[in-house]
């Protein structure tokens, strides 16, 4: 009577056609279940609500109704209780039941109110409570109705109260499904587009119904950025990053307590009092390589502290899901038993079917809640890490920046932050996988006994194999990463220096370099492809081998062991569960290893007496024992030769260098103008204002003083014109002036100028010096330090520092230094002719010489138009934008509207709607059609073998048992094994074929992309942000390399799996043919519906990702400027905004994935339901083997369906990479590199005669001519100077000569050959240029001089000697093999210029073009260069674009350009007599 004691009677409940529970069970257990649930949840839930207050919800009708119903329920229960007292009933449960229920209802009512006060709009705890109560009540209700039907006597009062109770519960449950209104004072109120998640009801949240609105929108039309919801507050950067930074600082402080590090503490204190305190808190080292000792701060701890609490929820969900996973096989066991036991009542079969369905649905809901938590955590991790890396980049020292290039840091940000996100989803597998394995083994042991050990042995054997492969893959990945980093670094440089490559015709040499790295990368890829094939093989065959060995051992140990359907299929189901954790473990472990983090360290402090500085801690000092003081408000010049440490001195004052000893103080705020101007991708006005507030009058004064007015006139939309990346659409001089204007506008106390006058023309330089820097300029009361090469300004300085080899050799005012008669006096004597010093003395004596007239000289004939122009541009820039400038000439500019469109078209071309079939076809062609079809064939073979082997198993289990044994056991086993082995061979085959095919494809696509990009004209690079191009080379190629092949494998695999499962179900229960097609249609509909939205979200996400990297790149390049202006806060804010924009698109895409998965798994669960249902219905016709086969397949189908959709959408989103790479194949190209037919003779040009005949040039079809009607003949060997105001078209002339831009009209003829008719390389190899910005590439010096290896070492040394670099190069440890940093950062600008000269000397061609080549060089070096050019290029034609007129005074002729036309032409003396433009320019430079 054990059962009786617990109020259960099995005969009444189970072994009957009409089951029911006993009265006692109904009144106790069924009542207690909901009550226990609520009381257990209450304390935890109460605490949770107490801590998470979302604001207060006003009373609404819904809330009133819920509360009222709760109270009525309580009254009903107590009515019952009083009735029992009145009746004096003996049964104790008639008293206990209503008491317990009544108290619980009161608690529920209390919670309803408490939730309202704490702002919960829809409560899961309560919904589940009402659901459980209702389910328990339904059972009782059924039995009460049953009692009425059978005519048993019924207690009328209790019957009525129960019916009321039941109806009230039902209504409560319905009410619970509606959400409350949002709380008062919540963010969502003022949010234009809040995320509907928190206002959605509980049911909507667990099924992800709340995103459906967005899905429908996305299905109707492609989504745009404005359709996205704003981020939840707890996902925003400003919430996440500071909390991570705080925890990091705490953790760091803990590990810093060792006495060793006390040395640094004083530094720390000083810095943190800076304006950017929060940036530098964590300034020491952000992310630690795991290899370091335990004393290091552990990043994982910090991440755990920051994200742990939320993530812990996922543990509970995962555990629940793991347990439910094993319910499937257990119910399957019961089902097979039911089919075998013909006596069992029918309702049990239906009961199992429903149970199976409910379990599957619960599993679905729980699993996706779990995934949702993981992905959201992953997203927050990424936000946090990107934010912290960005903040770190702003405080990183130069030494740390030396070790990691811009490319690497950007990589750290993109790839590694992504890795962290992936990790978040995997990390739970560490405990969940072993748990699953143990559970599965326990159940298997119960099923098959000790034979399981054979299967386990096979698994244990496979684990190390898997682990070894994971480790191998790991090493290959590291190698591939390294090659990839190198390749991207090189690509980055190629794209930054593309103009130089084109001018020198070096594309081929660099293409070879890239391909060499690529070759290494593909080698590694090939190895990992073989590994991947092995891995797929073990992954697919593992469950089969395990099953085979287990069954074989089981059958052969003992003749009486019979393999029946129950044992076989339950075991198979369990083995299928086992497959996943066993394969996951090695993967998880390797991905944990893969989270590679690099340490970026940062220190910094400003301290000046006996100071010695070096660029990084272990470098030799670059500046020795520096001593000087600059009184407040004085103007100090720093002069000296190239490479003597002038720029370094300014860097030291900015705190950009490492101080070895001594003491430096800079009082007040600092403004800095670097030698190479840094321009942001923003409007001109933003570049100048740089985050300060707008002050019209000051702004106008600054622009006027920096001589920017004429330039603003030229720009299409005035100062609202957007400047391209790195300032591509400004000339060198304009960039420099913008950079200067930024400094002047910011109104700091100390100004550091690094040679800002070098890139501008003489007269503009003079204007700027007078208006801005000089004793009468805007900054006359500020402290100014000016590095300069221009002698004519020196007399006006308060004091002058003369530097020599990193030391200050002399110091004093101009007169003092002349009296001392030291190096400085020598320096002056060499250069300054008598008139010049006369002129300077004049300027010093206040004769009013620099009063009005000169100013008019500079701005001659522009004054009247100017006022009108200003008012004009302010009105126009707002509306028409273009009309005003149709007529104006000038730099390559793009009107605003157009500029924006070009930005976007770049990121988003051809990208809406479905991916075209042609893209897949392109990819197949890239693989090779034979290989493509071969792989499909092998896939078919594999799946046919797999289906056959399982079908064979079902036949085997149905073999009749005779005398306790089965016949033909050996035959069955043999065929089963053979089918399995053939399956394995097919798997291995297709794995290999797909992987190798993938490598063919990626080789082919990369080669094409590289070739096409290098063949693009210069205009393409000016139009396309480099971030986009780099993205193509890193992200897209990486996708094609390593993402697409495995996705194809999985996609094909899951397609065939689904088809196979459907075939088996149809074989077992043909009636399923009625249900599978409709479900298939639902499936397809859901999938298409989803893919439309998901694809667009993916695109929005990747479009919004580029700005994050571009901004990051830009910041790294301008970090010294940002720090000098103390603008870190603003840049951090900008970065946060960009990251949030990106996550705004990412968040819906996560949710969309969950939405889809829940919907699809329901389709899958329906298939399970029908497979089981039909099996139960046809139980008399079916053998147990077939039922087992069909249901075990249907159990897997859910997972397969999920995979299939995930993979097809993954395939579709990733194949876009192929589309984007192919895009560039269709771009316009420049002319052919070499044309056989018209190739000139190898000795051409023999004399070097250049004729321009009616030549005209425009930058783009829709712009005006920049050069018009130029007719000039230059005879061989002439030396020609080209001068003119900035933007007059001087550089455009050289662009035309090199055909960087093709002629719009007219032609250029060199030695009788029209240059438009020959190949570009044929032309460019024959003319040499020394360009305006000296660009070097990282690699050896030798490579920079001679990338094609055409010259001997002697030639190279000779050219270095002539370029005056021999001493410098021979003093280097590696001589010619000295590694240049990215962009030549480790040489001074002057030295780089000399390297460019050496290049020209090596090529020794007949025609030499100097594009402002000596702008960044001191006068002494300039003199050397000029004399070298005179002696070495005596027979050659030399065209020089000059800023310093003294360099061209002895040339044969001078061309003066203005607004794109030649205005004066003749010998310098002749032009001076004419007293035209040239005369006024000469006057400004003090040459007259």
């Amino acid at each position: 009577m054990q059962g009786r004691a617990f109020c259960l009677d099995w005969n009444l409940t189970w072994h009957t056609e009409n089951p029911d529970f006993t009265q006692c069970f109904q009144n106790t257990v069924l009542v207690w279940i909901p009550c226990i649930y609520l009381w257990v949840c209450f304390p935890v839930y109460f605490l949770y609500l107490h801590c998470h207050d979302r604001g207060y919800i006003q009373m609404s009708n819904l809330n009133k109704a819920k509360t009222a119903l709760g109270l009525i329920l309580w009254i009903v229960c107590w009515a019952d209780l009083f009735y029992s007292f009145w009746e004096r009933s003996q049964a104790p449960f008639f008293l206990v039941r209503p008491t317990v229920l009544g108290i619980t209802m009161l608690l529920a009512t209390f919670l309803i109110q408490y939730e309202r006060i704490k702002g919960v709009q829809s409560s899961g705890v309560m919904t589940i409570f009402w659901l459980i109560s209702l389910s328990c009540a339904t059972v009782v209700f059924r039995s009460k109705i049953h009692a009425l039907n059978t005519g048993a006597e019924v207690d009328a009062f209790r019957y009525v109260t129960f019916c009321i109770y039941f109806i009230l519960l039902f209504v409560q449950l319905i009410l619970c499904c509606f959400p409350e209104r949002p709380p008062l004072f919540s963010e969502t109120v003022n949010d234009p587009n809040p995320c509907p998640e928190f206002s959605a009801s509980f049911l909507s949240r667990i099924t992800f119904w709340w995103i459906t609105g967005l899905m429908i929108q996305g299905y109707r039309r492609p989504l745009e950025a404005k359709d996205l919801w704003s981020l939840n507050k707890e996902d925003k950067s400003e919430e996440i990053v500071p909390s991570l930074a705080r925890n990091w600082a705490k953790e760091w402080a803990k590990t810093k307590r060792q006495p060793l590090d006390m040395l640094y503490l004083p530094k720390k204190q000083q810095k943190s009092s800076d304006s950017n305190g929060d940036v530098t808190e964590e300034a020491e080292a952000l992310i630690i390589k795991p290899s370091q000792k335990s004393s290091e701060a552990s990043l994982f701890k910090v991440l755990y502290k920051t994200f742990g609490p939320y993530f812990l929820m996922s543990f509970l969900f995962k555990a629940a899901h793991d347990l439910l996973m094993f319910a499937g096989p257990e119910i399957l066991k019961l089902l097979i038993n039911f089919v075998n036991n013909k006596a069992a009542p029918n309702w049990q079969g239906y009961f199992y079917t429903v149970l199976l369905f409910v379990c599957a649905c619960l599993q679905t809901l729980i699993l996706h809640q779990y995934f949702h938590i993981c992905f959201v955590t992953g997203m927050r991790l990424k936000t946090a890490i990107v934010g912290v890396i960005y903040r770190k980049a702003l405080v990183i020292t130069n030494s740390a920046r030396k070790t990691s290039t811009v490319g690497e840091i950007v990589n750290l940000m993109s790839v590694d932050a992504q890795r962290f996100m992936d990790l978040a989803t995997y990390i739970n597998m560490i405990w969940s996988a072993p748990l699953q394995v143990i559970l599965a083994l326990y159940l298997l042991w119960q099923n098959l006994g000790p034979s399981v050990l054979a299967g386990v042995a096979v698994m244990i054997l496979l684990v190390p194999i898997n682990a070894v492969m994971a480790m191998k893959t790991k090493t290959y990945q590291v190698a591939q990463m390294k090659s990839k980093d190198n390749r991207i670094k090189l690509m980055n440089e190629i794209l930054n220096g593309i103009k130089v490559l084109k001018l020198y015709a070096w594309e081929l040499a660099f293409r070879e370099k890239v391909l060499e790295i690529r070759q290494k990368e593909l080698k590694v890829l090939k190895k990992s492809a073989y590994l991947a094939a092995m891995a797929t093989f073990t992954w697919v065959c593992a469950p089969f081998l395990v099953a085979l060995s287990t069954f074989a051992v089981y059958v052969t140990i003992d003749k009486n062991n019979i393999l029946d359907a129950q044992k076989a299929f339950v075991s198979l189901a369990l083995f299928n569960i086992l497959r996943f954790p066993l394969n996951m473990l090695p993967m998880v472990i390797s991905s944990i290893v893969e989270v590679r983090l690099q340490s970026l360290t940062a220190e910094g402090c400003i301290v000046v007496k006996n100071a010695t500085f070096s660029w990084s801690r272990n470098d030799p000092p670059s500046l020795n024992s520096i001593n000087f003081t600059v009184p407040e408000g004085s103007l100090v010049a720093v002069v000296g030769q190239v490479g003597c440490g002038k720029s370094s001195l300014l860097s030291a004052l900015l705190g950009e260098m490492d101080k070895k000893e001594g003491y430096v103080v800079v009082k007040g705020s600092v403004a800095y103008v670097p030698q190479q101007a840094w321009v942001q991708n923003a409007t001109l006005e933003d570049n100048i204002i740089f985050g300060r507030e707008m002050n019209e009058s000051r702004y106008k004064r600054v622009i006027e003083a920096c001589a920017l007015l004429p330039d603003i006139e030229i720009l299409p939309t005035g100062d609202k014109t957007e400047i391209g990346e790195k300032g591509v659409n400004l000339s060198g001089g304009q960039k420099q002036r913008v950079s200067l204007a930024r400094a002047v506008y910011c109104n700091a106390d100390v100004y550091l100028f690094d040679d800002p006058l070098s890139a501008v023309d003489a007269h503009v330089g003079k204007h700027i010096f007078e208006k801005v820097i000089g004793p009468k300029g805007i900054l006359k009361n500020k402290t100014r330090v000016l590095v300069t090469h221009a002698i004519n300004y020196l007399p006006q300085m308060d004091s002058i520092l003369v530097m020599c080899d990193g030391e200050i050799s002399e110091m004093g005012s101009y007169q003092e230094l002349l009296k001392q008669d030291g190096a400085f006096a020598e320096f002056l004597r060499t250069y300054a002719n008598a008139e010049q010093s006369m002129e300077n003395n004049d300027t010093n004596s206040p004769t009013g010489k620099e009063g009005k007239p000169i100013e008019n000289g500079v701005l001659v004939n522009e004054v009247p138009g100017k006022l009108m122009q200003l008012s004009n541009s302010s009105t126009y820039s707002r509306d028409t934008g273009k009309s005003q400038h149709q007529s104006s000439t000038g730099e390559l500019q793009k009107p605003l509207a157009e500029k924006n469109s070009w930005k976007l078209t770049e990121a988003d071309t051809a990208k809406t709607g479905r991916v075209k079939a042609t893209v897949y076809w392109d990819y197949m062609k890239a693989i090779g059609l034979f290989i493509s079809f071969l792989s499909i064939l092998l896939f078919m073979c594999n799946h046919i073998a797999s289906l056959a082997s399982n079908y064979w198993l079902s036949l085997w289990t149905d073999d009749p048992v005779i005398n306790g044994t089965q016949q033909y056991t050996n035959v069955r086993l043999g065929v089963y094994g053979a089918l399995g082995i053939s399956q394995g061979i097919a798997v291995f085959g297709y794995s290999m074929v797909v992987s190798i095919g993938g490598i063919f494809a990626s080789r082919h696509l990369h080669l094409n992309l590289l070739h096409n990009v290098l063949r693009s004209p210069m205009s393409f690079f000016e139009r396309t942000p480099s971030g986009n191009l780099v993205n193509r080379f890193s992200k897209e190629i990486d996708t094609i390399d390593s993402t697409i092949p495995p996705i194809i494998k999985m996609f094909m695999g899951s397609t065939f799996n689904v088809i196979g499962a459907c075939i088996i179900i149809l074989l077992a229960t043909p009636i399923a043919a009625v249900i599978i097609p409709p479900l298939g249609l639902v499936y397809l509909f859901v999938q298409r519906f989803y893919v439309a939205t998901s694809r667009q979200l993916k695109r929005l996400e990747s479009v919004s990702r580029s700005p994050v990297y571009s901004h990051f790149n830009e910041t790294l390049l301008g970090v010294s400027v940002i720090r000098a202006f103390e603008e870190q806060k603003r840049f951090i804010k900008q970065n946060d905004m960009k990251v949030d924009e990106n996550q705004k698109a990412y968040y819906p895409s996560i949710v969309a994935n969950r939405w889809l998965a829940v919907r699809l798994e329901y389709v899958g669960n329906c298939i399970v339901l029908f497979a089981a249902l039909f099996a139960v219905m046809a139980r008399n016709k079916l053998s147990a083997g077939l039922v087992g086969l069909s249901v075990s397949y249907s159990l897997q189908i859910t997972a397969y369906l999920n995979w299939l959709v995930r993979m097809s959408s993954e395939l579709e989103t990733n194949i876009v990479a192929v589309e984007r790479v192919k895009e560039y194949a269709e771009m316009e190209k420049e002319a052919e590199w070499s044309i056989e037919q018209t190739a000139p003779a190898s000795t051409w040009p023999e004399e070097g005669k250049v004729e321009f005949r009616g030549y005209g040039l425009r930058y783009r079809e829709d712009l005006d001519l920049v050069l018009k009607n130029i007719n000039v003949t230059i005879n061989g060997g002439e030396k020609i100077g080209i001068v003119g105001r900035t933007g007059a078209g001087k550089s455009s002339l050289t662009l035309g000569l090199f055909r960087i831009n093709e002629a719009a009209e007219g032609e250029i003829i060199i030695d009788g050959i029209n240059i438009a008719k020959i190949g570009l390389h044929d032309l460019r190899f024959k003319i040499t240029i020394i360009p305006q910005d000296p660009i070097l590439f990282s690699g050896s010096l030798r490579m920079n001089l001679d990338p094609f290896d055409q010259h001997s070492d002697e030639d190279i040394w000779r050219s270095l000697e002539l370029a005056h670099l021999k001493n410098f190069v021979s003093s280097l440890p590696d001589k010619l093999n000295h590694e240049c940093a990215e962009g030549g950062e480790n040489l001074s600008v002057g030295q780089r210029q000399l390297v460019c000269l050496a290049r020209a000397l090596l090529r020794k061609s007949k025609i030499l073009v100097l594009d402002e080549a000596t702008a960044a060089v001191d006068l002494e070096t300039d003199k050397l260069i000029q004399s070298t050019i005179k002696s070495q290029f005596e027979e050659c034609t030399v065209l020089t674009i000059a800023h310093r007129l003294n360099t061209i005074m002895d040339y044969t002729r001078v061309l003066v350009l203005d607004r794109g036309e030649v205005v004066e032409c003749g010998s310098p003396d002749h032009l001076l007599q004419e007293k035209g433009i040239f005369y006024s320019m000469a006057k400004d430079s003090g040459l007259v």
Side-chain angles (χ1 to χ4, degrees), residues 1277-1279 1404 1428-1437:
E1278 274 196 299
K1279 309 283 178 280
K1404 198 80 192 339
T1428 307
I1429 289 172
K1430 273 204 191 63
S1431 61
Q1432 293 303 312
F1433 293 97
E1434 202 167 353
E1435 287 85 64
C1436 309
T1437 312

Side-chain angles (χ1 to χ4, degrees), residues 1075-1183:
I1075 210 72
I1076 285 182
L1079 282 176
L1081 283 175
V1082 170
Y1083 172 86
L1084 277 174
F1085 172 71
V1086 167
Q1087 200 246 23
R1088 281 261 59 90
F1089 197 76
Y1090 156 80
V1091 169
T1093 306
S1094 141
R1095 195 181 39 227
Q1096 208 49 33
L1097 284 171
K1098 256 279 176 51
R1099 281 172 188 160
L1100 286 174
E1101 196 261 338
S1102 61
V1103 167
S1104 62
R1105 192 170 355 127
S1106 288
V1108 177
Y1109 300 149
S1110 298
H1111 181 240
F1112 189 55
N1113 236 327
E1114 211 167 55
T1115 307
L1116 284 172
L1117 292 172
V1119 73
S1120 48
V1121 178
I1122 297 171
R1123 274 187 258 177
F1125 284 88
E1126 293 192 343
E1127 279 290 305
Q1128 291 99 322
K1129 279 258 173 58
R1130 182 168 68 93
F1131 274 81
I1132 285 173
K1133 207 177 188 134
Q1134 271 183 2
N1135 179 58
D1136 284 355
M1137 273 171 54
K1138 289 186 161 65
V1139 172
D1140 287 350
E1141 273 306 301
N1142 184 16
Q1143 300 295 35
K1144 234 164 91 169
Y1146 179 67
Y1147 183 67
S1149 73
I1150 307 176
V1151 182
N1153 268 333
R1154 301 280 71 78
W1155 178 89
L1156 169 81
V1158 170
R1159 305 283 172 288
L1160 287 186
E1161 288 196 12
Y1162 270 95
V1163 173
N1165 296 343
C1166 288
I1167 292 182
V1168 175
L1169 174 70
F1170 288 115
L1173 193 63
F1174 293 143
V1176 171
M1177 282 160 66
R1179 63 190 279 210
N1180 300 326
K1181 297 200 277 300
L1182 282 183
S1183 70

